[in-house]
Structures are given as C-alpha cells and as structure tokens.
C-alpha cells in the first residue's frame, strides 16, 4: 500500500523540490556549503582519524537481506607475477572485486527510492535504465562530503548497551541525544545516529544484525527537515525502524527522505569505536566524511 | 632483469624497514600523524571541496593496459521495483559493480609489488594468496588519509600545457615546483604531482593516456624519501616514467617505493580542476584525502 | 526507424505465434521433436566429436562491439589451498567467472529482441525486469538441442576462402549450399551457416571479426521459415549482414526471427575445423548440439 | 593429514599416469573414444532429451558450502533498449553473469585437486596461477562428452526414497545397481550415480542438501578404475560421502580420482526426472552429455 494520507501530508510539508533549482540533483548536499565545511574542519582538535566503514568482504551483512545484494567478493588477477620471469624481478599483485553497491557502509543515491513514478525533484523514474543506470540523482551526483559530524549516542543517553530490536526512535530521543552531545545543530551538519545495533555484526550474527532493527520512526522526518541536516547516517542495515510501525507503507522514511526531501542518508556505519572516543572526550563533534 | 647495483644501493639507503616496528604494515602512513592531520586541516580557507577521482565506468583507462584489469561495469539488480506491487508503493533501484581494483583512481596497497620474495618490512610474498588476498600490507591497512596536500604543478612551472610523453621528472623539477607552490614541505605532507597527462583521458584518448607517459624517474626516489612524504599521487596511469629509463628493471620506482620505503602512492588522480583553482588562488596547498 | 511495410508483411507471413499454443515459449525448439532427435543421432558414423565453441576468455570478440558486453574474466578463489595445512594434504583449485552472456558462442534467448512492445508469441516486453531477468522466453526455456546438423559451407560453394565483409547471403546461396551438402532439409534440422568470418578471430583481429561482416539478408527469412529449421547458427558476431541492407531497420532478421518466428538462432560458432572434416568426408551432416 | 598408507597403495594401483602419454591432460576422456560415442548414440530409442543440470541462479547450493563459491548472479545490461529510440524499433535485452564455476552442476577439471605438489600425470601444481588459471589440466582440456550413460539408481535398488545422510556407498551397492540397470558396463561408459539427495535441493533445503551427504566411499575407487569409466557424475554437492569415513584424509576420493586416475567426475546433477523415466521404461541406459 502507498503512503497514508498523514504521511503524504508530511511529505508535502518537508518537500525540498525546487528549493535548489528545478534541475537540482544534489538535495541536501546543497546545505553542506563552504561555511559548513569550514565549520566542520574547525572542530578538529586531536587530529585523530577513524574509519566508520565496515570491511568489504564476505562478512558483509547481506545474508538473508535484500534479494540480489551479493557480498563483496575479491579475487586476485595476479599473484607475485613477474612479467619477464627472471630472478629479483618486480612481482605484481593485483585484484578485482564484485559486489552489490549496498553491500557495506554506503550512502544512498537519491535515485534509490521513487514512488508515484517520480524521484527527487520531480525527475521521472524512467531516468533509471539497465544500460545507463541512474542517469538522474545517481551516485555521480555525490560530492565529497566534508562537514561537522555530530554523534547522537542513543544508547549512552538511555544508559543501555544498545537499543532494543524494533525500537522506533522518536523526536524526543533525538533531542535528548543532541543535548547529551552538547552541541546546537546547524544547517549542513551530518548526523551520526548510533543505536548500537552494529554490535551484532561485530559478534558475527549477521541475521540478528540485518533483520529486525531499531531505527528512525516516521515521527523524526519533520525533525530532520527542521534541522536542515546535510546527511544522516546510522549503524543499522535498514536505517529506519524494522518491522515498520505501520505495514501500510514500505519504508516510509526512505520514501520521504530520498524522494521528497532529497535527504542524503546512509547505512551500516560503524560508530562503536567513535562512541568510545567521544565517551572518553566527553563530546561528540568532529569533521566527518563518509566511509 | 632485477634492479641494477646502483638502484639496489638506493633501495638500501631509503629503506624504512623496521623504522615503525617489525610488524608495521602501514609504511609512510605513520608520517601522517595527528600533527600532520591538524596541519592539513589548518590549510582549509575557502571550504570548497574537489573530488580528485575519475569516473568509475567503462571509460576507465585500462584498455590495452595491464592484463586482466577490467573496467568498472555497473549493472542494476532492481529498477523501480515494488515489492508488493500496488500503486504508489515505494519503488527501489539497486545496483552492483564488478571492477579491477586498479581500474580507476587508486592508492597502491604496499603488497602490490614485491621482489626477492619479500614485500615491505620483510613480509614474505607468500602472504598473498588466492583465497585470502594480501593478508599482509593489503588495503585493509590503509587508514583514512587526512593531511596537507601540496600540488606540484609541473606544466605550470615549465609554462607548457602538459609534460611530454616519456618525460622523466627530475629532482630539479620537483624542487622548482615546490618553490612555485610557495610551501616548505613537511613530513607527512601529501604530494600531488601533476603532469597534465590526464588531458588525454579527458579527450577520450585512453591509449594515448595509459601508454607512454611522463612520470617520476628513479632520480626522484631519494628526494621523496628525504622529504618523508605521507603519500605521492600522480595524474598518470603508470606513476613512474614509461617507457622506463633503463629496461633492465621493470618499474623500479614502484619496487623501491612500495617494497623498500613503504611509500604510499597512487595513480590516475585528476588534478586539472584543482590546478585551475590553484592558478586562480596563487597557491597550491589544501587538505587532502584521496578520491 | 521501424520495419518497412515490406518487412512487416514478411513478419506476418512467417509468424509462428500461436502455432504451438498461446503459452509457448520454446519457439522452433518444438520442431526438434523425438523424430528429429533420432534422425540426428542416426547420422553419427565416425563417432568423432567437435566443439563448435570459441574459448571463453579475454580474447572474446566484444571489443568495440555491443556496449556493456564484457569479455569473460576468470579469477581463482583458491590456488592449491589445503584446509588444514599439513604436508601431503588435498590441495584445491577453484575459480569464478564474470562475463556477458553474449560474449562468446551463444544461442539467443527468444526474449533477446522485441518490438512494438511485444516479444515472441505476444508476451509483453515488460516480462523482462532487472531483478527477474527474462521471465518469459529466457534461456530457462532452452532445452538440450540434439538434432541433425547441416553445414552450409558458403565459401566452399563459391570457391573462396571466406565471404566478403558486408556480403548479404541470398536464398540462392543457401539453396546452392544445401545442394553442395547433398542433403534434403527436414523440419527440425539445425543449420550451420559458415561464412569463414571466424578466420579473422583466429588471426586475433577482433575488430575485423566483429565489425562489418557477411551474414543473412532479409531475403533469407522466408527461406528459413519454409524449411522449418530447428535452429540456425553462424560463425559471425552479428548473425545477419552488417552494415544492414537498409538502415531503416536495425537488425531486421533478429527482429523477425526472434519475435515473430520464435526462431532459435546463435552466433560466434567456430565451423573451421568442422568444415575441414566435411571437406575430407565429402559430406556435411552430423548430430549437433550447440557449444 | 595426508592419505593413509592404505589409500596411498590404492592410489598407486589405480594410477593412470603415463597411460595415455606423458603429456596427456585428458585423463579418462581418452576412454570415451569413437567406439564409445557410437555405442552411446546407438542406445537412443525414444529421442527424448533431458537436461540433468540444476538452474544457475541464487538458489545454487553454495550457501554454507566451500568458502568463496558465490551463487550465480545474473544482471541485465540492457532492457528493451532501442539504439535510436523511435517507435517500433528493435529493442534489445542483454545480460551478464558472475558465478563460481562450481556453483551448480559441473564437471571437475582434473586440476581441481592436487597433493604432494603434483596434479594428474605428474604436472606440477605450480601450473595453476592467478593470472593464467589452470594452464595444465584445466577445463580447456574438456571435450564434448558423448557416450553411453548408465543410471545407477541406488534408492530404487534399496527400495528407499533416498540414501541416508552420511551413507557410504559400497562396491556391493554399485554392483547391485548395475544388475538392476540390466547392463554390462563397458570402458568409456558414463556413470550416473543417483542417491536421491537432490530431493533436498528441490525442497529448498540448501544446507540439508550440501552438508552431510551420502556418497562414494574410498572402497569404490578400485571398482571405478576396474570398469574404466569415462566419467562418474552424482546428484550430491560433495560427490564422495561426507563427513569422511576417516578424518585423516580430506576428500580421498577426489584426491585419487582426479590426481591419480585422471578420472572425469562431476557433481550436483539432477537425476530425479531421469530416474522416473527409467522406472517407467524399465531400463536405465541412454546417450549422455553433461548438463
């Protein structure tokens, strides 16, 4: 079933169509302007870097997930191969990979979800073809994202190890986490929403990780829009809460974020080490770039 | 044929084996410490970001290049697919890719080149296997690189559009470009060596791009080592000059950089727009992260 | 441009829609019945077998051919790998492949070409989707083909080494070749149409092989239909003559064969050794199965 | 651990090294000579054909099987794509696949298993490389196999639906099945050993199918050698019984069949429909070609 009337009202309210021009394909990346980038850079204090990506290998969390998403498979095309064969020669190692683009830590292209025949900013869904891929709103429209990252450590706020499976994150949860982070959100900020769900993947329990998960509820859509966030990343497979609050709409947060708001969002981010850093430092800001 | 005696002497002189411990696999990434990262971040002034990567698609510069390196091929696993089929439903687009890992803009893992049966820091070349990949010095040892980038705009220094095919870049060329960039190199800096060769790829002339190219000569190895650079990236397919100065050694700069120095290096970077920016700004520094 | 009126008339005349039932997806495979199979088997005299397939490797004739068709790439997932590591243990070699399905010797699924929104037997072209593939008339509808094969050795008939590039094979050519083969065609026979074009691929000249080629003209469509052939295979990349006789219609033989006749056809077959056998034997019949 | 002394004695006894020349890479394919092919063809009576292959798709029985073996993944590179775009134009569907070569019904290349550093006929195991694949005894040495097939329907003989998981097939079992099939085995015959295990795959129980299975015991090795069979195919994932009779040797039947005997063998064949045919006909012979 389609979006309920209530969700369609929200969709209309938070729509960013036309906001950055009729041919815009960048969505909320427009909010990550030079000021936001400089503001992000200015938060750097320790100079320590942290990858927020999970490994790209056969442990990728696709098992039993969306059909057709195969885990990254690396194979070697050359192993210590010399081209002329004599002793002491340069020997080369070279490899290739085949993988689903959503197999690991990733940012959703805005073209990822459409409805009513349209994608973000009114482009027709026919802009996606087998031979051309997403000719509108595809990953080619993603620029390097450098901005201020704000970790919303929901388990820390609630004093639990991780949120419960199926927990629907509310506006109040987000507000409490912002307060806990001791920051005021500004347009173009990048939100890192930690639920702790990644702990299941670390433990090798793929289906516990990717099946029912905590995540954003439809209630948070207006909150995200109000704060004009550059991007929102989570440490879950689904991003939004699963199973859905209402089976009437399949992935309503994806539908409204990607198609109506042009909201850059991403999944399968690993915030565990970062959260430990922030707990030590007593603060959760930093310059962020995905993966 | 193996390295000449002269090159073996250079290799011994610039060796970083053991410098960061006997089990180090990170090589010159160790030079990009927290100070270097903060220094890089401090150079940010305009807040403008630039991707230095070329597109990952079938125009990738592998045609007629190293055997087995296939250009990135994207295919769709779902096109506007609804899972329940009713009107107004969320429709999903999803894709996968198969590609050589060296098909586009890339950083060489230190395990990429070995000789005399050893890779960087003395690890045996048998650490690379078909099933396990590079279990030592593989890409899994690459951290996010955030440091100060210095563009060495060789064509700008010489007042030409681009260096000639087969031109071997000298120490003097690098010194002149550093002076032109108005910076003093510091340990952990990331060097962006522009030859202008990328113009051929922009023009769609893949084989003119990836075949004979200008590039670093063996003469520059000690220069790079002396400056303790975190990484060195170029806008060519081969990195070093091709054809080689001396056919006696296959890719001597790769051999000594990767195996003896643990020197992080990368290829197929696009510096054309960045060079134009720098020419406008009259300066060539900035915070750099690869691709 | 679409089919000319003249070609549409031919299409109507040779249509096999409904001939084997409204839900038939097998097309002319229906002609290869038990009798045809027994007749094919009865032609076996020497008991010698010949593969008619070209190698599946990077020499596959796609270079500069149809966009997106990548040549077969084999990589190893295990090389002499023991699972417990002790001396004398079983060591395993295992591999994988990525390839375009039309990269080598292949039979066209009837779903390969559609027009006016329909495929063979009136199935809608929407039966092909990204996630499901060809859910109608796909390769899953191809059974093992065992029938009598008849080699039409066009160069032998004409006394030339191979047909000229761009030569359009006529009905008269086919009749002469049948006579030369000393057979009477029967329903369900499999035609092996040799032009000699494969010699270019043997010589390593891929683009000479796959670009302009000799091939079947639209004139032969009714001839093929009249003989109720089970399948028609050729030793060229395009199957039909290229460039087309009339640029008004793109691949008219494909259009009418696959969509209107449900005619099983295939390409890139290697008949060179078989032709030599037949020349020795003075006859060109035998039991045939593709590749 | 390596082969026991007892198994090494068997290996020496059944060795075919040198039997067909010192450079032979074809193994028991040599037994499928013109006579065997003609004999196979002569068994054809009904003219009915049966594919013995399982589908090549994501249901392939690799889940939880050998590491790195990914199930076949098909994607479309073109869907009803017209190249010039006008109404009524030819529209093309085209696809590609990525798959493990052992993901479905397959014949083992003789290079698949080595031990003591050697493969069949004494070729060094170093003949398998990442860039070149199996340069000796690889699939390129497999010719079309046309011979007499003999179905050994073990469940029918025993009056059970299928053999028990972990059942080790004995010489006596094979003799009884040959008698039940009312044939006398001849050199070059192809054995189709049905255990009924395929029923689990039909039922969608992949891990029940590919995990513990009935299969050939080491006791059958000399029996197979004595009968000089061209090939032996089974309806299981492992071919031989699993878990092994003696954990001292990993896959001893593979080791001796492939490396010592050069015995062509294959797995994941679907004999269910064929067995029903034979039960109806009261006989189990027919011309066989794999998949």
């Amino acid at each position: 079933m389609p979006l309920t009337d209530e969700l369609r009202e929200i969709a209309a309210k938070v729509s960013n169509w036309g906001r950055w021009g009729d041919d815009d394909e960048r969505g909320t990346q427009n909010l990550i302007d030079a000021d936001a980038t400089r503001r992000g850079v200015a938060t750097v204090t320790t100079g320590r870097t942290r990858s927020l990506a999970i490994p790209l290998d056969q442990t990728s969390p696709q098992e039993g997930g969306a059909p057709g998403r195969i885990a990254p498979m690396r194979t070697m095309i050359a192993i210590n191969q010399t081209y002329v064969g004599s002793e002491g020669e340069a020997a080369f190692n070279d490899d290739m990979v085949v993988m689903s683009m959503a197999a690991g830590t990733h940012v959703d292209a805005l073209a990822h979800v459409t409805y009513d025949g349209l994608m973000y900013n009114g482009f027709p869904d026919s802009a996606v073809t087998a031979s051309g891929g997403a000719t509108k709103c595809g990953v080619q429209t993603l620029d390097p994202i450098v901005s201020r990252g704000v970790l919303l450590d929901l388990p820390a706020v609630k004093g639990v190890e991780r949120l419960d499976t199926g927990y629907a994150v509310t506006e109040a949860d987000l507000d409490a986490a912002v307060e806990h982070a001791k920051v005021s959100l500004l347009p173009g900020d990048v939100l890192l929403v930690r639920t702790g769900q990644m702990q299941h993947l670390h433990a090798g329990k793929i289906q516990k990780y990717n099946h029912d998960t905590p995540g954003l509820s439809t209630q948070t859509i207006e909150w995200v829009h109000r704060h004009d966030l550059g991007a929102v990343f989570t440490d879950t497979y689904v991003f939004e809460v699963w199973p859905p609050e209402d089976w009437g709409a399949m992935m309503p947060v994806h539908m409204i974020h990607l198609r109506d708001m042009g909201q850059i969002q991403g999944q399968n981010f690993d915030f565990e080490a970062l959260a430990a850093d922030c707990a030590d430092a007593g603060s959760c800001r930093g310059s962020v770039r995905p993966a």
Side-chain angles (χ1 to χ4, degrees), chain A residues 137-279:
Chain A
C137 301
V139 283
Q140 69 278 10
T141 65
L142 287 176
D143 295 314
I145 296 176
V146 183
S147 188
R148 186 174 68 155
V150 177
L151 177 71
L152 297 195
D153 192 341
L154 300 176
V157 175
K158 290 180 179 290
V160 297
E161 206 171 353
R162 60 180 169 270
L163 299 189
D164 286 339
T165 285
Y167 180 81
V169 175
T170 64
E171 287 209 15
D173 290 332
L174 297 179
D175 279 330
V178 169
E179 191 176 349
H180 183 265
K182 298 174 192 149
V183 293
S184 298
L185 292 181
L186 289 169
D189 279 349
V190 172
L191 219 58
L192 314 179
V193 181
R194 176 174 179 258
T195 68
Q197 180 76 357
M198 182 57 62
Q199 295 161 15
H200 292 309
L201 193 63
H202 286 190
K205 296 177 181 167
I206 292 183
Q207 303 212 347
K208 190 149 192 178
Y209 170 70
N210 70 7
H211 275 186
D212 297 355
T213 74
L216 296 182
S217 69
T218 52
Q219 206 197 100
T220 66
I221 295 172
E222 289 180 88
W223 188 97
V224 167
H225 183 250
R226 197 159 57 238
H227 286 94
D228 262 350
L229 298 168
V232 181
F233 302 138
T234 71
D235 60 350
T236 70
Y237 179 80
V238 185
F239 188 80
E240 56 197 273
V241 62
W242 192 262
E245 299 159 281
D246 174 357
W247 276 99
M250 179 91 169
M251 302 239 177
V253 180
H254 274 73
M255 291 171 80
I256 299 176
H257 269 194
L258 295 173
R259 191 259 204 187
D260 298 298
M261 291 167 63
Q263 178 65 55
I264 301 299
Q265 64 173 40
Q267 287 135 288
N268 297 321
F269 283 71
D270 186 347
F271 301 135
E272 294 306 291
L274 181 68
D277 291 349
C278 289

Side-chain angles (χ1 to χ4, degrees), chain A residues 2-11:
Chain A
L3 293 178
T4 59
D5 287 349
E6 191 187 358
L7 286 170
R8 283 193 178 265
E9 267 173 48
I10 292 176

